[in-house]
């Protein structure tokens, strides 16, 4: 069955998967969604015999129907290789009554590697398929992890350049060091004097700037996106939920067809949306537990049906979730609005102008699969400490938000369904917050002393991604104000 892609704000015009990946964002400002969610029509027994790469092919080939078997398998082979420090790619660890799906074994020790290691290959394959002559400029805003993972994926990939904007004072010291030391002749990192939402809004604006598009085209460039708004980011994320279920089945933890719950720490809503897509493919997922930090715009949305970004932006110890405009939620809104682009567009315009929109009761009734809650900073730290003390297992701050919300869910519902928690980053990425949570005595140590101490107490080798940046020189030190972001892009491209 051929799957095409249409815009959440469009008139119903459809494009092939490769075109949607190339464009990143539709011309009308909408996000690309599949015309149908394909079924995962393959037995659990067969899936249980497969490697991560083979499962990735089974899932992705059903979404990316204009890629040949040879093209897609080549992309998968280049992505999920020795860049990952385990053959399993995404191991499951049982701790404290839940199953932690470790999505941080790639080059930059965060879950973004799961999709961003394959996106450059999907993109360059798409460019060839569509006879693109221009150089592709990946324009991305990051709240900490996407930027580094995207640069690691695109570094020195022929025919591409990548420009990453990040909030100068809104990421962890390790996250910043990872970005500003990034090598590659085609990689550029720019700090902004604003927060992630400012960066994301300005990037979207550049995508929709027709005059800028013409100027770039004349100079031989065209924009594409590595943010989770790109369908080429979202589809690979569906894979690891299927892989987690298959592993639980293979290890005898669940029976074929037994339902599981999934808990996901999320800010931009892409990671939990991928789980929702997996469920809609037929994977036996019951509840999708949406975990927020103190920027609890999604919790409030699930509680009230009202999305309202008019609130203080809080800097937390889980900075990748410090987001008030959850871009990927639009894909869900479009779906529960009966795929009515006019209705969706109206709400997105309300969000853009007034910072808020309200869904109907009928739309709310379609959100029964979701449960939302949030964790305070104190609760996040307590979750890290409790899990470590009880099991010896150390999780990062984002995963701790999910662990805390999962506990609240169990308390609220008494539901004992087996649950997978998406573990989205290595604790080594947020060492100071993690070690402070375990014991305040670590507060006086330097960043890399803490790294070594964490390695000792968790009995885990320091990841290569951290070893590399201990002595790496800073290669990117540009910082601009938000209004100057377009000028910074032109400067990078020599226009």
């Amino acid at each position: 069955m051929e799957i095409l892609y249409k815009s959440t704000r469009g008139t119903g015009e459809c494009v092939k998967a490769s075109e949607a990946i190339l464009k990143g964002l539709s011309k009308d400002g909408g996000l690309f969604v599949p015309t149908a969610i394909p079924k995962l029509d393959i037995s659990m027994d067969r899936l249980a015999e497969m490697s991560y790469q083979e499962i990735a092919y089974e899932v992705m080939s059903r979404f990316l129907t204009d890629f040949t078997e040879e093209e897609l398998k080549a992309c998968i082979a280049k992505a999920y290789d020795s860049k990952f420090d385990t053959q399993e790619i995404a191991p499951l660890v049982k701790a404290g009554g839940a199953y932690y799906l470790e999505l941080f074994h790639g080059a930059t020790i965060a879950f973004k590697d799961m999709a961003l290691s394959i996106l450059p290959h999907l993109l360059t394959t798409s460019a060839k398929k569509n006879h693109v002559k221009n150089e592709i400029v990946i324009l991305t805003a990051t709240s900490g992890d996407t930027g580094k993972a995207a640069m690691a994926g695109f570094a020195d990939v022929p025919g591409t350049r990548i420009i990453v904007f990040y909030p100068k004072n809104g990421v962890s010291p390790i996250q910043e060091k990872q970005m500003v030391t990034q090598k590659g002749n085609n990689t550029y990192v720019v700090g902004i004097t604003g927060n992630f939402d400012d960066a994301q809004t300005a990037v979207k604006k550049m995508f929709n700037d027709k005059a800028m598009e013409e100027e770039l085209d004349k100079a031989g460039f065209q924009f594409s996106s590595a943010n989770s708004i790109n369908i080429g980011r979202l589809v690979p994320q569906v894979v690891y939920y299927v892989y987690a279920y298959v592993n639980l089945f293979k290890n005898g933890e669940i029976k074929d067809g037994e339902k599981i719950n999934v808990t996901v720490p999320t800010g931009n809503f892409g990671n939990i949306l991928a789980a929702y897509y997996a469920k809609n493919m037929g994977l036996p997922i019951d509840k999708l537990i949406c975990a927020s930090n103190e920027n609890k715009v999604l919790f409030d949305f699930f509680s009230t049906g009202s999305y309202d970004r008019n609130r203080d932006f809080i800097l937390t110890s889980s900075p990748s979730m410090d987001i008030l405009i959850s871009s990927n939620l639009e894909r869900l809104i479009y779906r529960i609005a009966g795929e009515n682009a006019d209705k969706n567009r109206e709400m997105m315009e309300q969000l853009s102008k007034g910072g808020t929109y309200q869904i109907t009761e009928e739309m709310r009734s379609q959100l029964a699969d979701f449960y939302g809650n949030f964790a305070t900073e104190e609760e996040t730290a307590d979750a890290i400490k409790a899990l470590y003390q009880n099991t010896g297992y150390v999780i990062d701050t984002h995963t701790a938000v999910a662990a805390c919300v999962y506990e609240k869910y169990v308390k609220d519902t008494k539901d004992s369904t087996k649950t997978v928690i998406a573990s989205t980053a290595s604790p080594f990425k947020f060492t100071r917050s993690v070690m402070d949570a375990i014991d305040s005595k670590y507060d006086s140590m330097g960043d890399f002393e803490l790294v070594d101490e964490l390695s000792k107490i968790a009995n885990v080798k320091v990841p290569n991604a951290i070893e590399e940046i201990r002595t790496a020189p800073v290669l990117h030190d540009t910082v601009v104000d938000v209004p100057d972001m377009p000028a910074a892009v032109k400067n990078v491209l020599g226009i």
Side-chain angles (χ1 to χ4, degrees):
M1 173 172 115
E2 188 183 26
I3 301 286
L4 295 171
Y5 290 81
K6 56 187 176 176
S7 165
T8 52
R9 303 185 197 180
T11 51
E13 183 197 357
C14 293
V15 298
K16 290 178 174 170
S18 61
E19 293 173 85
I21 289 168
L22 268 177
K23 291 176 197 293
L25 196 64
S26 173
K27 270 192 163 62
D28 53 38
L31 276 57
F32 286 111
V33 288
T35 45
I37 306 261
K39 286 288 164 242
L40 189 65
D41 47 2
I42 179 166
S43 77
M44 205 43 68
D45 287 324
R46 270 189 64 207
L47 286 167
E49 292 167 0
M50 294 182 189
S51 65
Y52 189 91
Q53 293 83 345
E54 288 165 332
I55 290 173
Y57 177 75
E58 292 301 335
V59 174
M60 292 173 66
S61 61
R62 283 161 171 75
F63 280 99
L64 309 179
T65 53
D66 68 325
F67 282 71
T68 66
E69 182 176 346
E70 189 186 0
E71 285 169 340
L72 190 51
K73 283 186 170 169
C75 291
I76 290 166
K78 286 177 199 154
Y80 305 111
D81 59 8
S82 59
K83 288 190 290 293
F84 287 81
D85 64 17
T86 166
Q87 280 191 317
E88 287 177 277
I89 308 296
L92 264 181
V93 174
K94 192 175 184 180
Y99 301 88
Y100 287 84
L101 178 61
E102 293 189 345
L103 301 171
F104 52 75
H105 288 274
T108 74
I109 58 175
F111 83 100
K112 308 290 170 82
D113 292 323
M114 301 299 295
L116 283 166
S117 56
I118 194 167
L119 183 63
H121 306 295
L122 294 174
L123 202 57
T124 48
T125 305
S126 296
K128 272 189 209 125
K129 290 171 84 64
N130 290 278
H131 313 294
V132 169
K133 299 283 186 282
N134 284 342
E135 195 168 336
I136 293 165
V137 179
I138 304 297
L139 194 61
T140 288
T142 185
S143 55
D145 287 337
T146 287
K148 173 64 183 180
M151 285 188 292
F154 281 93
D156 296 323
V157 169
T160 67
R161 294 197 201 186
I162 177 162
I163 305 169
V164 169
F165 291 99
Y166 76 97
K168 176 66 186 149
N169 297 310
V171 299
S172 82
I174 297 274
Q175 282 178 314
E176 182 168 51
K177 189 92 194 275
Q178 279 190 303
M179 284 191 279
V180 298
T181 57
Q182 175 63 47
K183 293 179 198 146
N185 292 327
N186 62 339
T187 63
Y188 306 89
V189 185
V190 182
I192 65 151
T193 54
N195 62 38
F196 169 72
D197 287 332
D198 299 327
Q200 182 167 253
T201 302
V203 162
K204 277 187 167 180
K205 207 169 164 183
M206 281 189 265
F207 267 99
N208 292 320
D209 184 334
K210 299 288 176 270
M212 195 171 183
E213 187 185 340
E214 281 170 28
E215 210 176 333
L216 257 73
D217 189 47
K218 271 186 195 146
F221 299 107
Q222 71 186 60
F223 281 147
S224 191
S225 163
N227 275 71
S228 56
I229 53 176
N230 192 317
I231 200 74
R233 266 278 301 273
L234 193 59
V235 169
Q237 290 180 270
V238 179
V239 175
Y240 47 73
Y241 293 108
V242 176
Y243 182 71
Y245 189 92
V246 170
N247 262 356
L248 287 174
F249 168 70
K250 191 161 70 176
N251 298 338
E253 299 283 344
I254 56 170
K255 296 184 187 73
D256 187 3
E258 184 180 335
K259 289 198 166 181
I260 63 165
N261 292 336
V262 172
T263 305
V264 186
T266 189
N268 224 0
F269 206 72
N271 204 2
I272 196 164
L273 185 74
Y276 176 73
Y277 275 22
K279 179 181 167 93
N280 281 276
M281 285 187 91
L283 196 70
I285 294 173
D286 188 23
K287 281 286 180 204
L288 297 151
I289 301 164
C290 178
S292 301
N293 65 17
E294 288 182 0
N295 292 292
K296 57 188 182 65
V297 66
L298 286 167
F299 164 66
D300 292 341
F301 167 72
F302 283 114
S303 306
T304 65
S306 172
Y307 192 97
D308 186 355
R309 66 172 169 87
N310 299 316
R311 60 183 72 205
D312 289 339
F313 184 94
I314 301 164
L315 290 172
T316 73
S317 61
S318 46
S320 301
M321 296 159 67
D322 291 346
I323 293 171
L324 296 179
I325 305 169
S326 302
S327 289
N328 268 292
L329 186 63
E330 180 171 344
R331 287 185 165 112
L332 181 67
I333 296 297
Y334 175 73
R335 194 168 165 89
I336 63 174
E339 306 211 332
N340 182 328
D342 293 335
K343 207 170 178 179
N344 175 65
R345 192 185 315 109
E346 196 182 307
M347 282 188 274
M348 294 309 129
E349 279 168 8
Q350 287 170 4
L351 180 66
S352 175
K353 286 178 187 148
T356 179
Y357 62 82
Q358 176 79 41
I359 62 171
T360 64
E361 280 307 313
E362 189 191 346
M363 288 167 78
R364 274 193 82 179
S365 69
Q366 292 178 64
L367 296 176
D369 293 344
F370 289 90
Y371 166 92
N373 214 320
F374 75 102
T376 64
E377 284 291 89
E378 194 181 344
E379 287 170 332
T380 302
D382 288 347
I384 293 170
K385 186 174 187 170
L387 192 64
Y388 172 67
Q389 285 181 339
N390 295 333
T391 67
Y393 187 58
V394 182
I395 53 174
D396 91 294
T397 45
H398 303 74
T399 308
V401 168
C404 173
V405 166
Y406 170 59
E407 262 182 45
K408 289 183 179 185
Y409 169 78
V410 172
K411 209 174 270 178
D412 286 352
T413 62
K414 309 291 180 280
D415 180 6
S416 60
T417 302
K418 286 169 183 147
T419 297
V420 167
I421 294 178
S423 185
T424 52
S426 163
F428 286 96
K429 202 152 193 170
F430 302 94
T431 323
R432 184 161 299 282
S433 299
V434 168
M435 297 300 276
D436 275 354
I438 289 170
D439 196 323
S440 58
K441 72 179 183 190
Y442 296 119
D443 204 30
S444 59
M445 288 187 177
D447 284 331
F448 284 101
E449 277 180 286
L450 286 172
V451 163
D452 294 328
E453 194 61 29
L454 172 56
S455 174
K456 257 186 243 162
I457 68 158
N459 199 22
V460 175
K461 187 172 164 278
V462 176
N464 193 37
I466 299 293
E467 289 294 2
E468 277 176 351
I469 60 170
R470 278 186 199 260
T471 54
V474 169
L475 301 173
H476 309 271
D477 57 5
T478 306
V479 179
V480 300
D481 293 328
V482 174
D484 299 328
M485 285 168 63
V489 169
K490 288 180 192 176
N491 186 38
V492 160
L493 301 177
I495 297 174

